[in-house]
């Protein structure tokens, strides 16, 4: 079985499909790329200037310092097939595995990049960019409400002294389609730039990244819409997916509540691939992200914008 080809196919299939990978492409502003294992210092609150009278002392002012660090984090996909399937189904078995592993990695990254409930897990995974951000409730479901709510989010960025440059919307394909199909009384599109056939749809002149994985954060009719200032998000990414194959490893055949732990030698029942006539395939991508400023992201939830019935 040509595993080198499988790995190459997987890299090409995955890259450009996740939300993270679509920043910096087709005119979409890029995230702020940094290396792994770095610490960036800064201020979360600045100093204050005062008017000073002749011979009078200058009031004391202090800044609040902070720092942001990004370490190694890995998102993985693991699957096992029989040697018979690999032998008799090639190349279809390779395609199926490529699609399966790609879907697993894309789903995990897309959901955890924007899920407000995704907190950081020390030495394992980053928090989502919306974690600890207070949602903005929608004002309604019509085109007027889309414009009003978009203006509300833009005003929050202005209040935080963050301009409109490098802003990007993130929403599901379903929600983008609903907004794109809204028409006025004359039958003209309310948001003509929200064309999903375009390389990059736009809302209020701001590029839109879509991912149907956002429906898992709500429902097909009630979801979230994120607005992020791309250059205020740090991204550490080696830019590749490493796919490994093994005939001889022993693995824990569980998808939850795993017991085996290589860091402290915890043991449990394992299945030997060689003895069972199996092939294990493991895909790893090392990636991490973190907000540069907590004010660089806002989102609407629960959004339920729908086109008119007639």
């Amino acid at each position: 079985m040509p595993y080198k080809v499988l790995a190459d196919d997987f890299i090409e299939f995955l890259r450009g499909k996740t939300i993270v990978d679509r920043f910096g492409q087709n005119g979409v502003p890029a995230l702020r790329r940094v290396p792994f294992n770095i610490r960036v210092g800064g201020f979360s609150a600045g100093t204050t200037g005062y008017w000073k009278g002749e011979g009078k002392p200058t009031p004391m002012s202090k800044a609040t310092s902070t720092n942001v660090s990004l370490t190694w984090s890995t998102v993985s996909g693991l699957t096992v097939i029989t040697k018979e399937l690999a032998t008799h189904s090639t190349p279809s078995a390779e395609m199926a595995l490529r699609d399966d592993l790609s879907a697993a990695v894309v789903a995990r990254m897309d959901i955890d990049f924007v899920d407000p409930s995704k907190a950081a897990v020390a030495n394992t995974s980053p928090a989502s960019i919306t974690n600890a951000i207070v949602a903005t409730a929608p004002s309604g479901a019509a085109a007027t409400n889309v414009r009003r709510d978009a203006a509300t989010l833009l005003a929050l960025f202005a209040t935080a002294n963050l301009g409109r440059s490098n802003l990007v919307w993130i929403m599901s394909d379903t929600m983008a389609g609903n907004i794109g199909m809204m028409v006025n009384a004359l039958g003209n599109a309310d948001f003509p730039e929200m064309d999903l056939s375009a390389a990059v749809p736009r809302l209020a002149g701001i590029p839109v990244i879509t991912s149907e994985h956002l429906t898992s954060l709500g429902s097909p009719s009630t979801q979230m819409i994120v607005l992020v200032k791309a250059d205020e998000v740090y991204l550490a990414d080696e830019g590749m997916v490493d796919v490994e194959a093994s005939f001889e490893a022993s693995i824990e055949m569980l998808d939850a509540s795993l017991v085996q732990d290589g860091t402290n030698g915890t043991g449990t029942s394992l299945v030997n691939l060689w003895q069972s006539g199996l092939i294990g395939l493991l895909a790893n991508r090392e990636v991490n992200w973190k907000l540069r400023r907590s004010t660089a992201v806002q989102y609407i939830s629960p959004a339920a914008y729908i086109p008119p019935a007639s």
Side-chain angles (χ1 to χ4, degrees):
M1 186 175 180
Y3 297 109
K4 177 65 165 64
V5 175
L6 178 64
D8 289 346
D9 284 347
F10 180 74
I11 293 170
E12 293 172 0
F13 192 73
L14 175 67
R15 301 302 291 176
K17 292 185 68 69
T18 67
I19 292 173
V20 167
D21 292 323
R22 279 181 277 177
F23 282 93
Q25 296 186 21
N26 297 317
V28 177
L31 302 176
R32 187 181 292 268
R33 287 187 172 268
V34 295
F36 284 104
N37 293 333
I38 63 148
R39 177 174 293 176
V40 181
F43 293 108
S44 59
T47 56
T48 303
Y50 301 90
W51 290 103
K52 184 185 81 70
E54 182 178 356
K56 301 294 183 180
T58 300
M60 178 62 186
S61 178
K62 68 174 183 178
T64 303
S65 62
T66 184
N67 65 75
V68 175
S69 59
L70 277 82
T71 57
W72 301 96
S73 290
T74 304
V75 58
S76 295
L78 173 65
T79 190
V80 173
I81 61 170
T82 64
K83 288 184 179 179
E84 289 82 0
L85 178 62
T87 301
H88 301 298
S89 299
T90 302
S92 59
E94 296 176 18
M95 297 294 289
L97 285 171
R98 185 195 72 173
D99 293 352
D100 227 24
L101 287 173
S102 177
V105 174
V106 169
R108 184 76 282 137
M109 287 183 62
D110 280 6
I111 292 171
D112 288 356
F113 187 69
V114 295
D115 184 0
S117 67
K118 176 62 179 72
V121 178
N123 303 316
T124 301
S125 62
S128 75
I129 61 173
T130 59
N131 184 247
I133 306 298
V134 177
T136 296
S139 59
T144 299
N145 305 112
V146 174
R147 287 187 284 268
R148 183 179 303 161
D149 297 342
T152 297
L153 292 197
L154 290 171
L156 292 174
F157 280 88
T159 300
N161 295 320
L162 294 172
R164 295 194 178 191
S165 62
N166 297 317
L167 291 177
V168 179
W169 296 103
I170 306 173
M171 66 184 74
S172 72
D173 295 298
T174 300
M175 189 58 61
N178 285 351
I179 295 174
M181 288 187 288
M182 289 179 168
V183 295
N184 58 28
L186 299 177
N188 298 320
D190 281 300
F191 307 99
E193 287 187 302
M194 186 62 89
D195 180 4
L196 296 187
S197 65
V200 179
R202 292 179 178 270
L203 177 62
I206 298 170
V208 176
I209 292 175
T210 61
S211 170
E212 199 54 36
H213 292 299
L214 268 73
T215 57
S216 64
L217 304 178
S219 71
S221 60
T222 304
Q223 301 171 37
M224 63 184 297
I225 296 177
V226 180
L227 183 61
V228 57
K229 191 171 178 65
D231 59 344
E232 293 291 340
V233 179
Y234 286 123
L235 174 67
D237 183 11
E238 285 203 332
M240 64 176 294
V241 178
D242 180 33
V243 180
E244 301 176 357
S246 176
F247 298 88
E248 301 173 352
S250 294
I251 66 174
E252 191 175 0
M253 302 286 275
L254 295 173
D255 59 4
S257 303
L258 279 74
V259 178
Q260 184 68 35
D261 187 343
T263 61
N264 55 27
T266 303
T268 188
S269 298
L270 301 176
V271 174
N272 183 270
L273 300 183
W274 174 79
Q275 185 177 24
S276 303
L278 302 173
I279 300 171
L281 291 167
L282 176 66
N284 291 321
R285 177 171 176 181
E286 292 176 341
V287 62
N288 200 350
W289 54 73
K290 196 163 190 175
L291 282 178
R292 189 167 179 258
R293 307 176 197 274
S294 61
T295 53
V297 173
Q298 300 293 337
Y299 70 98
I300 300 167
S301 180
Y305 305 119
I306 55 174
S310 59

